[in-house]
Amino acid sequence: MDGTLGLLGGGGGGGGGGSSGASTNESTVSKVDVVEQDFVGMSSEASSYPAEAELELGLGLSLGGGVKAKPCTWGERGRILTAKDFPSVVSHGSSVPSRFTDRATAASVGPVSGTKRAADSVSQEGGSPTGVSQVVGWPPIRAYRMNSLVNQAKSQRAEEDKMIGEKDKSRDASKKKIYTKTDPAAKEKCHLGFVKVNMDGVPIGRKVDLNAHSCYETLAQMLEDMFFRSTTAVSSIGSGGEKEQSTKASGYKLLDGSSEFVLTYEDKEGDWMLVGDVPWGMFLTSVKRLRIMRTSEANGLGPRFQERNDRQRCNPI
Amino acid sequence: MNYFPDEVLEHVFDFVTSHRDRNAVSLVCKLWYRVERFSRERVFIGNCYAISPERVIMRFPGLKSLTLKGKPHFADFNLVPHDWGGYVQPWIEAFAKSRIGLEELRLKRMLVSDESLELLSRSFANFKSLVLVSCEGFTTDGLAAIAANCRFLRELDLQENEIDDPSGHWLSCFPESCTSLISLNFACLKGEINLAALERLVARSPNLKSLKLNRAVPLEMLQKILMRAPQLVDLGTGSFVHDPDSETYNKLKATVLNCKSIRNLSGFLEVAPRCLPAIYPICLNLTTLNLSYAAGIHGSDLVKLIRRCVKLQCLWILDCIGDKGLEVVASTCKELQELRVFPSDPFGVGHAAVTENGLVAISSGCPKLHSLLYFCQQMTNAALETVAKNCPNFIRFRLAILDPTKPDPVTMQPLDEGFGAIVRSCKRLRRLSMAGLLTDQVFLYIGMYAEQLEMLSIAFAGDSDKGMLYVLNGCKKLRKLEIRDSPFGNAALLTDVGKYETMRSLWMSSCEVTLGGCKTLAKKMPRLNVEIINEHDQMDIGPEDGVRVDKMYLYRTLDGQRKDAPEFVWTL
């Protein structure tokens, strides 16, 4: 398998037929395979495609370098792309500007194959599992509708679970798009996991996409970037307050109780819990929204609060 | 013209209702301008930053109804940070201070706070109608203020807003004396509802014509409500789940028979398909059916339902209907004018989806179709050409393919020819969104043929600056252009800068436009706000003019640079 980094590594052929020319759909289909093989160690789609497809970089139209796969019978329909297939456009604070320029450059090449682009132009940060982020805003469905689809699916599954009588947590966890190496059944449909985040003292909340993270550390880092670097702007609308000292620390500040604020979340039952107390997967299934609370107010969350100082926060469990 | 007293002119202008026509009227001469401005009651402002509230108040002292839109359209898809702007507070404050007798406020994509709603509820004695679409920033506390203080409230319509509902008590805040409600839509609320209060409210609202419930309202309550309000025209059910063998269900069936006025049906946020027969009697007269949130209805249940809706004019549905289901729609709904097919599984594996075949079937069965939103797996040029021939009356044509750059799967060609056929054939086309593999050629066609086009959405399309230039040069009526992830750069942006003053706004994200290009534009056109939305602190690292701009939003304005821009928005 021709493999380079991340999305452009080798993989099965595309699900589309056809010859040369604009065949990005195949490319992205094969990218899906690649992603799964590289990051999960298994691909349920692998069997559908010929094993020795050779990849050339083809149409670069804004998909991080089109990847052209050997044609195969059109009988196999290209699957609907998961959002994983597209290089991240913007997720708050988690993507790198240079990626867009490279992508845009590729896009102007036109439908000519053979433009080999360095795979690292599309590689996600650190090649981490969370690197396969969604293309924000595609398909173009209003966020409200998207969230409601997700919630409907969640509650339907919850009901099925109840009926079956199983409290199979690992199954629950696997139903979310959790891209961790330890999760064997990670081929799950991807959906938007935007939850609201409010911070004490800040009138306007933000939203984060939980699916773009695989552990507490990156989540906390992002939230710190979001709130602590632009706090003054958010809370004093338009007065253009000075930037605070960038607290670009380890991502632990919100999680280890050392700062003035702690990160908490509301779970399905309506209880407020400290973030980090449960395995990441379990957290994902139960979190409804987040709140960055003043440490002074978090005391009610008692014993856990003392214990957590001893615990390692960054393991994706 | 001088012979007529002002009152006569005013009387004539009363018949001119569309705001565009009224705008035109006001430009004829100073006299007409004066008469028009004093008699104008409804004002539409498509971009809340285009003008200040004070100026609006000065010009239209008789204003009763205000419509405001805030964030750019792409904010719907999370492309715009939540605190970008679009606050309604300054508007309400300004209006409250003035002597305007505001009666109606309609907001879209704006940030609304509880304080704003409270101020609104207290400032206008005659306030009658509040419509919020895709807004956020408020909770049910704000709604409670509206309910409690607006004594003559007729309409409270909440569409697809993200609302925190910490408490369900807002419904109880409608005083017993409030009997004026005509329309109440709280389908987007996620929390519990005081059901007894709801029933009492419905009972004392004899004029209630439109009621859309949220998921927390169970079927038993629906039955009681329909008993009290058989005059409803517009119904959105909440939860539609029950045991079809129960007495409650039988009561519902009987009650429904009495509701002869229902023409618009929606909801089914939770549904047990075996309960659907209860609503069959309504189907015959339905003109609007919105099942786009009814994920629980599919397959044969869905088809059975649709087969009864012979008078349908507007259908919103999920793609689990499939091509076969769309064929049923095509053979049943001959009066269909608007169709929206939403994806039920946007990121999943594509078994629940529609293809070009469904659309072709619709086009041949429903010649009156003029508005389309269609999310599909794939599209072909041949299909689009057929659709263009069958339905030359499109006003709005929006296609989204789940893989945004997918070519015609049969010919592997771009979809240029297909969309070209659409714009050539549909001479009245005002709004177009495209998807699939597209080159500069499609933009050539659009520039040449889409003479009435007002709004164009482009994503992952085109090869070069020429594409964007074709559109800017050709579409004389273009008002809103939004582009993402397409290779258009400074040359396209700067060739005809005057064009942007004829448009409401331009959005470009992940294109090739650079900071230098934007600066040049801003310098040449002082009456445009050119905003760079910068979330990655590119600018902090020492902004160079050659740096590509991630997101640019520009709009014409009479108000200059806005003062409420957050730190990450940089107005050049």
Side-chain angles (χ1 to χ4, degrees):
Chain A
M1 255 176 231
D2 250 8
T4 44
L5 265 181
L7 298 174
L8 297 179
S19 51
S20 63
S23 50
T24 18
N25 66 319
E26 298 153 359
S27 67
T28 47
V29 171
S30 59
K31 257 193 261 180
V32 170
D33 280 359
V34 166
V35 157
E36 298 186 302
Q37 286 162 7
D38 283 354
F39 294 115
V40 181
M42 74 188 249
S43 165
S44 57
E45 301 272 297
S47 54
S48 332
Y49 305 103
E52 65 288 332
E54 232 183 83
L55 298 176
E56 293 164 31
L57 294 172
L59 177 69
L61 189 64
S62 69
L63 286 179
V67 176
K68 203 171 91 170
K70 272 248 161 68
C72 63
T73 57
W74 180 238
E76 295 150 285
R77 279 177 66 155
R79 50 172 276 181
I80 288 185
L81 294 165
T82 69
K84 306 196 268 291
D85 303 341
F86 300 98
S88 163
V89 176
V90 177
S91 15
H92 292 282
S94 69
S95 44
V96 171
S98 61
R99 179 183 318 127
F100 310 130
T101 67
D102 289 332
R103 188 157 44 80
T105 312
S108 52
V109 167
V112 173
S113 62
T115 310
K116 285 225 158 42
R117 292 183 49 242
D120 62 354
S121 65
V122 197
S123 71
Q124 313 296 324
E125 290 139 353
S128 76
T130 60
V132 186
S133 334
Q134 299 148 326
V135 171
V136 173
W138 200 269
I141 303 174
R142 201 171 260 178
Y144 173 87
R145 183 178 287 279
M146 192 77 98
N147 289 340
S148 133
L149 263 183
V150 166
N151 290 332
Q152 271 183 341
K154 260 194 233 174
S155 65
Q156 267 168 17
R157 267 187 243 121
E159 280 180 31
E160 285 163 15
D161 280 351
K162 263 191 274 178
M163 278 166 25
I164 297 171
E166 272 181 71
K167 275 287 174 185
D168 188 349
K169 289 193 179 120
S170 64
R171 188 160 65 92
D172 254 358
S174 73
K175 276 177 179 154
K176 300 261 180 171
K177 179 210 156 213
I178 300 169
Y179 236 52
T180 65
K181 292 189 167 119
T182 57
D183 191 340
K187 191 214 166 288
E188 285 298 341
K189 66 178 183 179
C190 164
H191 55 262
L192 242 100
F194 279 95
V195 294
K196 277 200 131 157
V197 191
N198 286 84
M199 175 162 151
D200 285 356
V202 172
I204 307 275
R206 304 287 293 268
K207 278 191 183 164
V208 286
D209 179 11
L210 292 179
N211 286 328
H213 300 276
S214 65
C215 72
Y216 290 113
E217 179 190 343
T218 60
L219 174 64
Q221 177 74 72
M222 175 195 279
L223 290 176
E224 279 167 33
D225 287 350
M226 225 188 252
F227 283 92
F228 291 95
R229 285 208 295 148
S230 56
T231 294
T232 47
V234 171
S235 56
S236 53
I237 297 161
S239 70
E242 304 120 352
K243 265 174 77 88
E244 289 188 355
Q245 277 303 322
S246 174
T247 51
K248 255 210 152 97
S250 57
Y252 287 107
K253 296 203 79 184
L254 276 177
L255 293 175
D256 65 5
S258 67
S259 84
E260 194 196 323
F261 291 90
V262 285
L263 184 58
T264 63
Y265 71 100
E266 185 184 11
D267 71 2
K268 275 194 297 218
E269 274 96 49
D271 299 320
W272 285 94
M273 321 266 277
L274 283 172
V275 165
D277 281 357
V278 299
W280 175 257
M282 199 183 296
F283 168 70
L284 279 191
T285 59
S286 52
V287 61
K288 271 188 359 189
R289 57 180 165 160
L290 296 167
R291 180 174 155 204
I292 301 176
M293 202 185 283
R294 295 216 163 83
T295 310
S296 47
E297 285 181 38
N299 282 335
L301 303 172
R304 272 199 202 92
F305 184 54
Q306 269 95 55
E307 281 168 27
R308 63 208 314 264
N309 286 332
D310 307 326
R311 284 195 243 173
Q312 199 44 280
R313 282 293 144 238
C314 67
N315 290 336
I317 298 171
Chain B
M1 303 298 168
N2 315 358
Y3 321 143
F4 294 135
D6 289 359
E7 296 77 36
V8 175
L9 269 182
E10 200 180 302
H11 183 68
V12 171
F13 291 169
D14 272 351
F15 296 99
V16 180
T17 46
S18 114
H19 63 270
R20 288 195 208 183
D21 290 342
R22 292 211 77 141
N23 291 347
V25 157
S26 68
L27 291 174
V28 167
C29 64
K30 283 194 181 147
L31 172 65
W32 283 36
Y33 178 89
R34 186 166 48 81
V35 174
E36 197 282 319
R37 70 177 259 252
F38 283 110
S39 61
R40 174 108 66 144
E41 290 186 347
R42 315 181 63 90
V43 173
F44 169 86
I45 295 173
N47 174 6
C48 64
Y49 289 118
I51 190 163
S52 72
E54 289 76 19
R55 279 184 78 152
V56 175
I57 293 168
M58 264 200 332
R59 179 169 170 190
F60 300 114
L63 196 159
K64 295 213 176 95
S65 161
L66 178 66
T67 302
L68 280 175
K69 293 190 182 179
K71 293 184 187 158
H73 174 233
F74 275 174
D76 277 351
F77 317 131
N78 291 321
L79 285 176
V80 178
H82 290 272
D83 34 355
W84 169 87
Y87 303 99
V88 76
Q89 179 72 5
W91 288 84
I92 300 184
E93 276 174 4
F95 275 69
K97 275 190 239 160
S98 75
R99 277 182 294 166
I100 300 265
L102 193 67
E103 293 183 12
E104 179 179 84
L105 186 61
R106 310 167 71 95
L107 304 177
K108 187 167 185 180
R109 280 192 288 270
M110 295 202 64
L111 285 173
V112 179
S113 65
D114 287 342
E115 292 68 37
S116 303
L117 291 176
E118 167 124 28
L119 181 60
L120 177 68
S121 72
R122 292 194 188 284
S123 308
F124 306 103
N126 240 359
F127 192 75
K128 295 196 172 78
S129 165
L130 180 63
V131 179
L132 301 176
V133 180
S134 278
C135 296
E136 59 180 343
F138 62 104
T139 74
T140 46
D141 289 348
L143 299 180
I146 297 284
N149 302 330
C150 300
R151 296 193 302 146
F152 304 113
L153 194 69
R154 289 197 202 156
E155 176 175 26
L156 178 60
D157 186 357
L158 308 168
Q159 298 176 29
E160 301 194 330
N161 304 288
E162 295 282 359
I163 306 175
D164 268 337
D165 33 342
S167 67
H169 84 293
W170 66 278
L171 253 185
S172 326
C173 293
F174 282 103
E176 291 302 312
S177 54
C178 174
T179 57
S180 47
L181 267 185
I182 298 181
S183 163
L184 178 63
N185 173 4
F186 58 91
C188 62
L189 285 181
K190 300 186 200 106
E192 295 304 311
I193 285 288
N194 183 332
L195 296 174
L198 175 62
E199 193 184 349
R200 283 196 306 271
L201 180 62
V202 172
R204 66 177 184 274
S205 303
N207 298 320
L208 194 66
K209 292 283 188 299
S210 170
L211 180 63
K212 295 185 186 168
L213 310 168
N214 77 344
R215 184 188 281 258
V217 181
L219 193 136
E220 308 83 71
M221 183 49 58
L222 174 65
Q223 186 271 327
K224 292 195 195 135
I225 288 174
L226 290 179
M227 279 272 284
R228 303 242 185 223
Q231 77 282 4
L232 280 178
V233 172
D234 196 352
L235 172 66
T237 68
S239 166
F240 203 77
V241 176
H242 215 276
D243 174 5
D245 298 319
S246 65
E247 194 193 325
T248 305
Y249 182 74
N250 287 322
K251 273 202 263 182
L252 178 68
K253 281 168 75 170
T255 308
V256 164
L257 283 172
N258 216 17
C259 297
K260 304 201 199 310
S261 307
I262 299 182
R263 298 287 174 271
N264 309 308
L265 186 61
S266 60
F268 302 98
L269 310 171
E270 262 172 18
V271 54
R274 286 181 62 210
C275 291
L276 287 174
I279 54 150
Y280 286 171
I282 305 179
C283 294
L284 180 58
N285 288 317
L286 280 184
T287 53
T288 303
L289 179 60
N290 179 357
L291 296 178
S292 64
Y293 286 100
I297 311 180
H298 36 246
S300 58
D301 298 311
L302 186 51
V303 167
K304 270 191 267 180
L305 194 58
I306 298 219
R307 279 204 200 280
R308 293 160 185 269
C309 301
V310 291
K311 294 197 191 147
L312 215 54
Q313 292 173 15
C314 174
L315 175 63
W316 290 22
I317 197 97
L318 289 171
D319 66 0
C320 48
I321 192 175
D323 286 340
K324 289 285 168 222
L326 287 177
E327 283 168 30
V328 174
V329 173
S331 60
T332 309
C333 310
K334 295 305 187 184
E335 302 297 312
L336 198 67
Q337 297 174 22
E338 174 175 335
L339 174 68
R340 296 196 191 189
V341 181
F342 294 96
S344 53
D345 193 11
F347 300 122
V349 182
H351 28 245
V354 295
T355 71
E356 73 275 16
N357 296 320
L359 185 59
V360 168
I362 291 284
S363 73
S364 51
C366 309
K368 295 189 184 178
L369 195 65
H370 60 61
S371 289
L372 179 74
L373 172 61
Y374 197 74
F375 282 83
C376 56
Q377 272 262 51
Q378 62 185 48
M379 185 53 56
T380 65
N381 284 311
L384 285 174
E385 283 158 20
T386 307
V387 170
K389 222 176 2 184
N390 292 340
C391 293
N393 297 318
F394 273 115
I395 301 175
R396 291 168 211 102
F397 190 89
R398 296 197 278 161
L399 197 75
I401 305 181
L402 292 164
D403 168 2
T405 57
K406 190 165 177 152
D408 180 329
V410 173
T411 64
M412 298 316 292
Q413 292 301 304
L415 292 179
D416 300 335
E417 296 306 313
F419 281 104
I422 294 284
V423 294
R424 240 194 320 266
S425 160
C426 303
K427 308 212 188 302
R428 277 182 261 165
L429 194 67
R430 298 207 304 252
R431 181 169 182 184
L432 178 65
S433 293
M434 307 183 293
L437 187 66
L438 295 162
T439 72
D440 284 346
Q441 184 69 12
V442 73
F443 298 112
L444 175 65
Y445 291 142
I446 292 175
M448 272 170 62
Y449 297 111
E451 291 174 8
Q452 301 299 318
L453 195 66
E454 296 178 7
M455 180 170 178
L456 179 62
S457 306
I458 301 172
F460 303 99
D463 310 310
S464 74
D465 287 334
K466 284 200 286 193
M468 184 168 162
L469 285 171
Y470 290 143
V471 171
L472 290 176
N473 292 336
C475 299
K476 301 296 176 202
K477 298 209 176 170
L478 195 64
R479 291 189 301 117
K480 289 181 277 182
L481 180 58
E482 46 186 24
I483 306 174
R484 62 167 292 184
D485 294 273
S486 301
F488 307 134
N490 294 340
L493 182 69
L494 296 173
T495 297
D496 180 9
V497 293
K499 173 84 176 171
Y500 306 124
E501 271 193 8
T502 69
M503 291 168 54
R504 184 189 297 175
S505 64
L506 168 67
W507 168 281
M508 293 182 75
S509 61
S510 302
C511 297
E512 299 255 2
V513 173
T514 70
L515 183 57
C518 296
K519 280 185 182 171
T520 307
L521 176 58
K523 199 156 172 219
K524 286 193 188 172
M525 304 294 295
R527 279 196 302 199
L528 297 179
N529 274 355
V530 180
E531 293 187 6
I532 310 294
I533 297 170
N534 155 44
E535 289 171 293
H536 309 291
D537 293 327
Q538 286 167 291
M539 309 306 172
D540 289 348
I541 320 171
E544 288 160 15
D545 286 1
V547 162
R548 275 188 190 81
V549 155
D550 190 25
K551 293 175 180 169
M552 178 203 73
Y553 179 56
L554 67 82
Y555 51 91
R556 66 182 176 191
T557 177
L558 294 174
D559 208 24
Q561 188 167 332
R562 60 182 172 113
K563 297 164 197 63
D564 62 2
E567 204 183 56
F568 52 82
V569 172
W570 190 11
T571 308
L572 298 178

